[in-house]
Amino acid sequence: MPLIDYITYILGIYGLSWIITQSNLFYNIRNYIESFDFEFINDLIGCIVCTSVWLSAFFVWFYFSNEVWFTKLLIIGSTTTTTWALAQALNDVED
């Protein structure tokens, strides 16, 4: 796994998570989904770190298809940790 692929993957997951949980682009979609009162989904789209876990778990199978399963788990964990660190540093976490 080349380092540039790993960095691109991490930044891509962070970007997608931010778009889903924070952006004005998805504001109306988030409000519509929250109107159904599904606690799990509402928590998911309101938390950038939670969203990054599920996005990473989905996309790791496509982006790193040649890696063994335990490497994929490590990638998911490191992506989540990096998302948390970036969200803390950029103040993208709700208090």
Side-chain angles (χ1 to χ4, degrees):
M1 163 180 41
L3 181 60
I4 192 69
D5 286 349
Y6 181 63
I7 292 170
T8 301
Y9 180 78
I10 286 175
L11 294 176
I13 293 296
Y14 181 82
L16 288 172
S17 299
W18 188 88
I19 289 170
I20 291 170
T21 62
Q22 308 286 327
S23 74
N24 289 331
L25 180 66
F26 272 59
Y27 179 77
N28 290 332
I29 296 169
R30 282 192 307 270
N31 283 341
Y32 178 73
I33 291 171
E34 288 172 355
S35 70
F36 291 109
D37 200 30
F38 295 123
E39 186 174 345
F40 174 77
I41 300 296
N42 292 343
D43 290 344
L44 179 67
I45 62 173
C47 171
I48 192 168
V49 178
C50 305
T51 303
S52 75
V53 171
W54 293 103
L55 287 175
S56 185
F58 177 76
F59 284 112
V60 74
W61 297 98
F62 302 106
Y63 200 80
F64 296 108
S65 58
N66 295 329
E67 298 295 330
V68 292
W69 68 269
F70 52 85
T71 304
K72 291 177 184 177
L73 287 178
L74 292 172
I75 292 169
I76 293 167
S78 63
T79 302
T80 304
T81 303
T82 306
T83 298
W84 175 83
L86 285 171
Q88 292 292 325
L90 299 173
N91 202 23
D92 283 339
V93 179
E94 291 185 20
D95 294 329

